Short mmCIF file of all heavy atoms in Angstrom, two decimals:
data_model
loop_
_atom_site.label_atom_id
_atom_site.label_comp_id
_atom_site.label_asym_id
_atom_site.label_seq_id
_atom_site.Cartn_x
_atom_site.Cartn_y
_atom_site.Cartn_z
N GLY A 115 159.51 -100.52 1.27
CA GLY A 115 160.65 -101.14 1.94
C GLY A 115 160.57 -102.65 1.99
O GLY A 115 161.24 -103.29 2.81
N ALA A 116 159.73 -103.25 1.10
CA ALA A 116 159.62 -104.70 1.08
C ALA A 116 160.85 -105.34 0.47
O ALA A 116 161.11 -106.54 0.68
CB ALA A 116 158.37 -105.13 0.31
N ALA A 117 161.62 -104.59 -0.31
CA ALA A 117 162.87 -105.10 -0.90
C ALA A 117 163.74 -103.91 -1.28
O ALA A 117 163.23 -102.85 -1.65
CB ALA A 117 162.57 -105.96 -2.13
N TRP A 118 165.04 -104.09 -1.18
CA TRP A 118 165.98 -103.01 -1.50
C TRP A 118 167.20 -103.52 -2.26
O TRP A 118 167.97 -102.74 -2.79
CB TRP A 118 166.42 -102.31 -0.21
CG TRP A 118 166.90 -103.29 0.83
CD1 TRP A 118 168.18 -103.72 1.02
CD2 TRP A 118 166.10 -103.97 1.78
NE1 TRP A 118 168.23 -104.64 2.04
CE2 TRP A 118 166.95 -104.81 2.54
CE3 TRP A 118 164.74 -103.96 2.10
CZ2 TRP A 118 166.49 -105.63 3.56
CZ3 TRP A 118 164.27 -104.77 3.11
CH2 TRP A 118 165.14 -105.58 3.85
N ASP A 119 167.36 -104.85 -2.33
CA ASP A 119 168.45 -105.42 -3.11
C ASP A 119 168.01 -106.78 -3.62
O ASP A 119 166.87 -107.21 -3.42
CB ASP A 119 169.73 -105.53 -2.27
CG ASP A 119 169.55 -106.38 -1.02
OD1 ASP A 119 168.51 -107.08 -0.90
OD2 ASP A 119 170.45 -106.37 -0.15
N GLU A 120 168.94 -107.46 -4.31
CA GLU A 120 168.59 -108.74 -4.93
C GLU A 120 168.13 -109.77 -3.90
O GLU A 120 167.11 -110.46 -4.09
CB GLU A 120 169.79 -109.28 -5.70
CG GLU A 120 169.53 -110.62 -6.37
CD GLU A 120 170.76 -111.14 -7.10
OE1 GLU A 120 171.62 -110.31 -7.48
OE2 GLU A 120 170.85 -112.36 -7.27
N ALA A 121 168.82 -109.89 -2.80
CA ALA A 121 168.49 -110.92 -1.80
C ALA A 121 167.13 -110.67 -1.18
O ALA A 121 166.31 -111.60 -1.05
CB ALA A 121 169.57 -110.96 -0.72
N SER A 122 166.84 -109.44 -0.78
CA SER A 122 165.56 -109.15 -0.14
C SER A 122 164.41 -109.30 -1.13
O SER A 122 163.31 -109.74 -0.77
CB SER A 122 165.57 -107.75 0.47
OG SER A 122 165.82 -106.77 -0.52
N ALA A 123 164.64 -108.92 -2.40
CA ALA A 123 163.61 -109.07 -3.41
C ALA A 123 163.27 -110.54 -3.64
O ALA A 123 162.10 -110.93 -3.73
CB ALA A 123 164.06 -108.43 -4.72
N ARG A 124 164.28 -111.37 -3.69
CA ARG A 124 164.04 -112.80 -3.91
C ARG A 124 163.30 -113.42 -2.73
O ARG A 124 162.36 -114.20 -2.92
CB ARG A 124 165.37 -113.53 -4.15
CG ARG A 124 165.19 -114.98 -4.56
CD ARG A 124 166.53 -115.67 -4.75
NE ARG A 124 167.27 -115.13 -5.86
CZ ARG A 124 167.09 -115.52 -7.12
NH1 ARG A 124 166.18 -116.44 -7.41
NH2 ARG A 124 167.82 -114.98 -8.09
N LEU A 125 163.69 -113.07 -1.51
CA LEU A 125 163.00 -113.60 -0.32
C LEU A 125 161.54 -113.18 -0.31
O LEU A 125 160.65 -113.99 0.01
CB LEU A 125 163.69 -113.11 0.95
CG LEU A 125 165.01 -113.79 1.32
CD1 LEU A 125 165.65 -113.09 2.51
CD2 LEU A 125 164.78 -115.27 1.64
N THR A 126 161.25 -111.92 -0.67
CA THR A 126 159.87 -111.44 -0.70
C THR A 126 159.05 -112.20 -1.74
O THR A 126 157.90 -112.58 -1.49
CB THR A 126 159.85 -109.93 -1.03
OG1 THR A 126 160.55 -109.23 0.01
CG2 THR A 126 158.43 -109.41 -1.12
N ALA A 127 159.64 -112.44 -2.91
CA ALA A 127 158.93 -113.15 -3.97
C ALA A 127 158.66 -114.61 -3.60
O ALA A 127 157.59 -115.15 -3.88
CB ALA A 127 159.73 -113.08 -5.27
N VAL A 128 159.63 -115.24 -2.96
CA VAL A 128 159.44 -116.64 -2.53
C VAL A 128 158.29 -116.74 -1.53
O VAL A 128 157.42 -117.63 -1.63
CB VAL A 128 160.74 -117.19 -1.91
CG1 VAL A 128 160.48 -118.52 -1.21
CG2 VAL A 128 161.81 -117.37 -3.00
N LYS A 129 158.25 -115.81 -0.58
CA LYS A 129 157.18 -115.82 0.41
C LYS A 129 155.83 -115.53 -0.24
O LYS A 129 154.82 -116.15 0.08
CB LYS A 129 157.45 -114.80 1.51
CG LYS A 129 156.39 -114.81 2.62
CD LYS A 129 156.70 -113.81 3.71
CE LYS A 129 155.70 -113.92 4.85
NZ LYS A 129 154.30 -113.74 4.43
N LEU A 130 155.80 -114.60 -1.18
CA LEU A 130 154.55 -114.27 -1.87
C LEU A 130 153.98 -115.48 -2.59
O LEU A 130 152.79 -115.78 -2.48
CB LEU A 130 154.79 -113.14 -2.87
CG LEU A 130 153.61 -112.82 -3.79
CD1 LEU A 130 152.43 -112.29 -2.99
CD2 LEU A 130 154.02 -111.84 -4.89
N ARG A 131 154.82 -116.20 -3.30
CA ARG A 131 154.35 -117.37 -4.04
C ARG A 131 153.81 -118.43 -3.08
O ARG A 131 152.80 -119.08 -3.36
CB ARG A 131 155.47 -117.95 -4.91
CG ARG A 131 155.88 -117.00 -6.04
CD ARG A 131 156.97 -117.58 -6.91
NE ARG A 131 156.53 -118.81 -7.54
CZ ARG A 131 157.09 -120.01 -7.35
NH1 ARG A 131 158.13 -120.13 -6.54
NH2 ARG A 131 156.62 -121.06 -7.96
N ALA A 132 154.46 -118.60 -1.94
CA ALA A 132 153.98 -119.56 -0.94
C ALA A 132 152.64 -119.11 -0.36
O ALA A 132 151.73 -119.93 -0.15
CB ALA A 132 155.02 -119.73 0.16
N ASP A 133 152.51 -117.80 -0.11
CA ASP A 133 151.25 -117.29 0.44
C ASP A 133 150.10 -117.46 -0.55
O ASP A 133 148.98 -117.80 -0.16
CB ASP A 133 151.41 -115.81 0.81
CG ASP A 133 152.29 -115.59 2.03
OD1 ASP A 133 152.53 -116.58 2.76
OD2 ASP A 133 152.74 -114.45 2.25
N ILE A 134 150.37 -117.21 -1.83
CA ILE A 134 149.33 -117.37 -2.85
C ILE A 134 148.85 -118.81 -2.90
O ILE A 134 147.65 -119.08 -2.96
CB ILE A 134 149.86 -116.92 -4.23
CG1 ILE A 134 150.01 -115.40 -4.26
CG2 ILE A 134 148.93 -117.38 -5.35
CD1 ILE A 134 150.68 -114.87 -5.50
N ARG A 135 149.78 -119.74 -2.85
CA ARG A 135 149.40 -121.15 -2.88
C ARG A 135 148.59 -121.53 -1.64
O ARG A 135 147.59 -122.25 -1.72
CB ARG A 135 150.63 -122.04 -2.99
CG ARG A 135 150.29 -123.53 -3.15
CD ARG A 135 151.54 -124.38 -3.07
NE ARG A 135 152.38 -124.25 -4.25
CZ ARG A 135 152.24 -124.99 -5.34
NH1 ARG A 135 151.28 -125.90 -5.40
NH2 ARG A 135 153.06 -124.84 -6.36
N ALA A 136 148.99 -121.01 -0.48
CA ALA A 136 148.29 -121.35 0.76
C ALA A 136 146.88 -120.78 0.80
O ALA A 136 145.94 -121.44 1.26
CB ALA A 136 149.09 -120.84 1.97
N VAL A 137 146.71 -119.56 0.30
CA VAL A 137 145.41 -118.89 0.38
C VAL A 137 144.47 -119.32 -0.72
O VAL A 137 143.26 -119.48 -0.49
CB VAL A 137 145.62 -117.35 0.34
CG1 VAL A 137 144.28 -116.63 0.20
CG2 VAL A 137 146.33 -116.89 1.59
N THR A 138 144.98 -119.55 -1.94
CA THR A 138 144.11 -119.83 -3.08
C THR A 138 144.21 -121.26 -3.61
O THR A 138 143.34 -121.70 -4.35
CB THR A 138 144.43 -118.88 -4.25
OG1 THR A 138 145.72 -119.22 -4.80
CG2 THR A 138 144.44 -117.43 -3.79
N GLY A 139 145.29 -121.96 -3.26
CA GLY A 139 145.50 -123.29 -3.82
C GLY A 139 146.07 -123.26 -5.23
O GLY A 139 146.26 -124.31 -5.84
N LEU A 140 146.35 -122.07 -5.76
CA LEU A 140 146.83 -121.92 -7.13
C LEU A 140 148.29 -121.46 -7.15
O LEU A 140 148.83 -121.06 -6.12
CB LEU A 140 145.98 -120.90 -7.89
CG LEU A 140 144.47 -121.16 -7.89
CD1 LEU A 140 143.75 -120.08 -8.67
CD2 LEU A 140 144.15 -122.54 -8.46
N THR A 141 148.89 -121.51 -8.32
CA THR A 141 150.29 -121.10 -8.46
C THR A 141 150.40 -119.85 -9.33
O THR A 141 149.57 -119.62 -10.22
CB THR A 141 151.15 -122.21 -9.09
OG1 THR A 141 150.69 -122.47 -10.43
CG2 THR A 141 151.08 -123.48 -8.26
N GLY A 142 151.42 -119.07 -9.04
CA GLY A 142 151.70 -117.89 -9.84
C GLY A 142 153.18 -117.83 -10.16
O GLY A 142 154.02 -118.27 -9.37
#
Side-chain angles (χ1 to χ4, degrees):
W118 50 91
D119 59 11
E120 179 181 335
S122 59
R124 187 181 294 275
L125 284 173
T126 298
V128 168
K129 183 179 185 303
L130 172 65
R131 294 181 61 242
D133 289 344
I134 289 173
R135 185 188 288 272
V137 171
T138 70
L140 306 180
T141 63

